[in-house]
Amino acid sequence: MASSRKITLRSSDGESFEVEEAVAVESQTIKHMIEDDCADNAIPLPNVTSKILAKVIEYCKKHVDASKAEDRVNDEDLKAWDAAFIKVDQVDQATLFDLILAANYLNIKSLLDLTCQTVADMIKGNLFPVRNEWLNFTFSIANRELVLVCLTEWVAHRRLFCS
Amino acid sequence: MAGTNVHGAIHRKSSGDRPSRTEGNRAPPLRPRDLISALPDDVVRRIFSFLPLEDVVKTSVLSKRWQSTWTTTNHLVFHGFHGLRRHNHGTYTFDFPSLVDSVLIRCTSPSVKSFHITHFKYDEACCPKLDLWLRFAEACRVEDLCLVLITGLQFLYKLPPFLYCLSWLVRLEVGLCCFSLSTTIRWPCLKVLLIEYSELSDDVLERIVRGSPVLESLELHWCRGVKNIIIDSTSVKELVLIGDRFSNTEKIWAPHLLSLRLSGRLSSVFRLDDISSLVEAKIDFDVPGDMRMCCDLLTKLFEKLRKVPKIIIGGWCLQILSVLEMKGVLSPLSNCQNLILRAQVCQWDLPGIAYMLQSSQCLEKLVIHLTDLSLLKFAVDKESEARFNFDEEDLLCSRKGNFQCLAKHLKRVEITGFANSFGSKHLLALIKFLLGDTLELEKMIIKADLHVQHGQKRLETADLSKVLSVSRNVLSYRRASQNAEVIFKFPCK
């Protein structure tokens, strides 16, 4: 009976979204609110805009549906769906970060891991431009040497023995 | 979730169109590093946990503000990769211990979630240094500790006494270490324990289990010295045992265990004493010895596994079951509902599959992962070999009456890796048989991974057309169940 209950979520800009309870409790924050009985009316989410909330609900719905389906082959399909969901180009980086903040606030571990992994991949792929001039005057000597080792030798060493 | 939240600020800045270069009075587009700067600290730490440590340190060059943010990371993973020093080419002086020291000195986080030291080339001289690093981990209340060394089997690292009483430890992985024989072990929060290539003993194992009241998963890979695995704790749900020719585990007694995985090489006198709560068993091992001993071992093993609803069987074991089947040994009736086989489905496997089909009276799901390996790890004597010259369709059809599961229960069949051996007559005969005699079949999914073979640049048309013609054949087989769907999946890489 509880599984078919609908929960209303209200975004910061006043828009209401009705979702099934199973989808809503993907968020631990919302789950605790429901358990503490604060969810009779709409649950206000002052930190999440409607644009982002719509995306979060889309993510949670997909993952709830995927866990119901019996096929084991769905693991790869789900990963592919996640990759397409999170695909960002330069314009949409703001959305990515908004998603991180929302996933953090709503406490949705899988979405938080997905978004953080994406940012980590961007850092790894040096999509964040490195300002080399900082190396010259910002650091103390010891710190500079450590960073130098990390930038050159350690990475080269890993490439040598890791592949 | 506490921490800075400048959500509103971001929106103020990024609302509106992309500013063009000519407009000087619009705010410039937010630079990526400013966006990460706006994230709360614990999110930043989580991002750090997805990066290799050198990239985390590298973030200190992103901007002035990021200079020392990396020192707050609580995920310290060091890969030694043999820690070589090379001087012959002039520039190469990688010194792993110094690197670890430099990082540890700078780390400011009061608690460290993960502390890993792997592939560290260890010798006696490093012992005090390693002790010191582990002290650091202990002081930082480490939750996930991994220590995998590279050293000779005679030079195992003796774990220091304070390591046996880590109150915050949740996950521990050690490789090439040895455990002290007399210290009390107290790991009140430990849930996952993985020990590789180490010296243990029955006594040490018992102390580990007794000192870890919430232990859920225990894995022993290639360990020496444990003869009897006795786990009476109710928390341990999963046991993984991977043996090699040095391992000598003979007995497992774990009445509360839920999942058991056995791989590698086990001792010839191996047996399961009590596994009454088991719901999942993976049997993918082999045993040295003559045919009679192996058959005996497996017969007794399957007698114990009769109540287990999910069974995974690997190549060698399946082939021994084939030998049993051809000898006419009756398979014990079992409760298996979910059967997963890793096999090539050749003449050495088919009787074993028949053995399992007969035994699993309430089988609902059958999964076959086709392997490339041609497994004939045992020497079959001439007499047995002669028995294996059968006609595959005859074999299956003659036993049809014994396969109770086909009448009522089997609903789902999955075959993956099909392209590796498509066209194999035994596999096709099996598929034809299952389609033709499973009355309640709902779905048969055949997944062929179309990999490019070695040496080829792309998939040959000949391969593709062969796959297609085989698929067409299969789709034309007679189906006993009106609702049966046959689905082919061809993921291309």
Side-chain angles (χ1 to χ4, degrees), chain A residues 38-111:
Chain A
C38 310
D40 288 338
N41 306 318
I43 298 184
L45 301 171
N47 291 359
V48 190
T49 62
S50 53
K51 174 182 170 201
I52 298 299
L53 187 54
K55 284 209 79 107
V56 170
I57 290 174
E58 187 192 340
Y59 176 89
C60 293
K61 258 199 195 131
K62 179 69 181 183
H63 277 244
V64 166
D65 285 342
S67 66
K68 277 195 225 140
E70 220 227 46
D71 299 284
R72 224 202 99 242
V73 292
N74 255 8
D75 279 348
E76 293 135 34
D77 293 342
L78 191 61
K79 280 206 184 96
W81 189 91
D82 279 351
F85 176 81
I86 210 71
K87 192 161 181 206
V88 286
D89 47 32
Q90 283 296 89
V91 180
D92 256 24
Q93 269 183 17
T95 310
L96 173 63
F97 287 94
D98 288 344
L99 272 176
I100 295 183
L101 292 173
N104 192 34
Y105 169 66
L106 292 171
N107 201 346
I108 306 173
K109 184 175 184 298
S110 55
L111 181 57

Side-chain angles (χ1 to χ4, degrees), chain A residues 132-150:
Chain A
N132 286 317
E133 60 261 31
W134 289 118
L135 281 176
N136 293 328
F137 53 82
T138 321
F139 300 123
S140 66
I141 303 289
N143 206 3
R144 176 173 184 272
E145 283 191 358
L146 174 63
V147 174
L148 267 180
V149 169
C150 290

Side-chain angles (χ1 to χ4, degrees), chain B residues 171-365:
Chain B
R171 185 182 186 276
L172 177 63
E173 181 178 339
V174 291
L176 284 165
C177 299
C178 64
F179 286 74
S180 133
L181 289 171
S182 51
T183 327
T184 321
I185 295 179
R186 219 180 38 230
W187 290 319
C189 301
L190 191 70
K191 285 199 178 154
V192 177
L193 177 59
L194 169 51
I195 307 178
E196 307 172 334
Y197 278 122
S198 297
E199 286 273 355
L200 289 173
S201 71
D202 288 357
D203 183 51
V204 168
L205 193 62
E206 198 224 324
R207 273 186 288 125
I208 288 176
V209 174
R210 205 159 6 113
S212 319
V214 297
L215 186 66
E216 287 176 7
S217 164
L218 175 62
E219 291 195 32
L220 300 174
H221 297 194
W222 316 295
C223 286
R224 215 166 36 171
V226 182
K227 262 203 168 167
N228 306 297
I229 298 182
I230 297 178
I231 304 175
D232 51 3
S233 133
T234 50
S235 64
V236 179
K237 298 191 176 64
E238 179 185 69
L239 173 65
V240 176
L241 184 65
I242 303 183
D244 61 6
R245 53 199 170 109
F246 301 114
S247 324
N248 47 358
T249 308
E250 288 176 14
K251 174 179 113 177
I252 295 183
W253 186 91
H256 305 285
L257 200 65
L258 297 180
S259 161
L260 175 65
R261 285 172 209 216
L262 304 167
S263 317
R265 167 151 297 190
L266 301 180
S267 140
S268 338
V269 295
F270 176 76
R271 66 180 200 270
L272 297 175
D273 266 3
D274 189 338
I275 39 151
S276 28
S277 311
L278 214 63
V279 296
E280 177 183 320
K282 176 174 172 182
I283 324 191
D284 192 5
F285 62 85
D286 63 272
V287 152
D290 62 40
M291 184 56 60
R292 207 163 56 89
M293 189 188 289
C294 299
C295 288
D296 207 37
L297 199 148
L298 272 189
T299 315
K300 294 210 178 89
L301 195 75
F302 271 87
E303 195 59 39
K304 287 279 173 181
L305 293 176
R306 280 168 55 193
K307 296 213 200 96
V308 183
K310 180 173 174 187
I311 300 186
I312 305 166
I313 306 181
W316 184 90
C317 291
L318 189 63
Q319 296 191 339
I320 297 290
L321 292 182
S322 294
V323 174
L324 284 175
E325 173 72 13
M326 297 315 278
K327 277 192 181 171
V329 175
L330 208 55
S331 59
L333 298 180
S334 80
N335 286 350
C336 179
Q337 289 167 7
N338 190 346
L339 181 62
I340 301 174
L341 306 171
R342 294 184 192 284
Q344 207 186 5
V345 191
C346 58
Q347 77 216 81
W348 308 104
D349 301 312
L350 212 53
I353 299 178
Y355 185 94
M356 288 311 295
L357 281 176
Q358 188 197 294
S359 157
S360 321
Q361 302 263 299
C362 9
L363 188 66
E364 290 178 8
K365 182 170 170 185

Side-chain angles (χ1 to χ4, degrees), chain A residues 29 47 49 70-71 73 76 91 93 97-98 100-101 104-105 112-113 116-117 119-120 123-124 128 130-131 134-135 138-139 142-143 146-147 149-151 153-158 160-161, chain B residues 1 5 7 11 18 32-33 35-36 39-40 43 46-47 50-55 57-58 60-64 67 70 79-81 84 86 91-94 99 102 106 412 445 447 489:
Chain A
T29 309
N47 291 359
T49 62
E70 220 227 46
D71 299 284
V73 292
E76 293 135 34
V91 180
Q93 269 183 17
F97 287 94
D98 288 344
I100 295 183
L101 292 173
N104 192 34
Y105 169 66
L112 190 56
D113 282 345
C116 286
Q117 175 75 69
V119 175
I123 294 177
K124 217 158 123 179
F128 291 85
V130 170
R131 300 274 291 270
W134 289 118
L135 281 176
T138 321
F139 300 123
N143 206 3
L146 174 63
V147 174
V149 169
C150 290
L151 283 174
E153 297 201 21
W154 192 1
V155 177
H157 181 82
R158 257 172 74 94
L160 213 57
F161 290 101
Chain B
M1 286 174 304
N5 187 322
H7 193 84
H11 265 261
R18 258 172 288 182
R33 63 163 181 268
L35 288 175
I36 8 172
L39 292 172
V43 174
R46 192 182 277 255
I47 293 176
F50 286 110
L51 284 170
L53 196 55
E54 66 260 30
D55 284 336
V57 178
K58 277 197 273 181
S60 54
V61 299
L62 281 178
S63 76
K64 203 165 176 179
Q67 196 174 328
W70 76 265
H79 294 299
F81 294 110
L84 290 180
R86 276 193 185 178
T91 49
Y92 214 73
T93 55
F94 181 59
L99 188 82
S102 331
R106 282 170 185 82
R412 215 177 150 87
I445 300 177
K447 190 168 164 202
K489 291 194 181 186

Side-chain angles (χ1 to χ4, degrees), chain B residues 15-34:
Chain B
S15 64
D17 330 326
R18 258 172 288 182
S20 61
R21 292 226 184 105
T22 53
E23 303 198 36
N25 47 354
R26 278 262 187 100
L30 265 189
R31 285 166 302 186
R33 63 163 181 268
D34 296 326

